[in-house]
Amino acid sequence: MAAATATGRKLNRVSSDIRVVVWSSVVFANTGDTLTVPGIKSITDISYTPTTNAAFGFTIGTGASSNVVTLTSAAGLTGLMMVRGL
């Protein structure tokens, strides 16, 4: 597993107990690549809009890894991403 490359952080907002982080580009090179979201302890929601043509899926870690998103289906993927969590 390699780490995804997240660039262009556009938003890091806290509203009540919910934190929202938005990037203008997140690149997952291969299936199994991960993105650890800084400032979030537990992810509750992911929104991803691909800018490449690929079918994809994600899993969210549990326990100590509950702030980690893992790409589960696509050879590679680039797009815009928003993550919400606690």
Side-chain angles (χ1 to χ4, degrees), residues 22-59:
V22 178
W23 293 276
S24 59
S25 178
V26 176
V27 178
F28 292 89
N30 294 296
T31 297
D33 283 0
T34 61
L35 175 66
T36 301
V37 183
I40 290 182
K41 295 178 184 173
S42 178
I43 295 170
T44 58
D45 186 36
I46 301 168
S47 176
Y48 193 85
T49 304
T51 56
T52 54
N53 186 15
F56 63 94
F58 293 105
T59 59

Side-chain angles (χ1 to χ4, degrees), residues 4-27:
T5 304
T7 58
R9 191 166 176 160
K10 296 169 50 173
L11 176 67
N12 186 11
R13 179 172 183 229
V14 177
S15 176
S16 182
D17 291 338
I18 303 297
R19 179 177 296 272
V20 178
V21 183
V22 178
W23 293 276
S24 59
S25 178
V26 176
V27 178

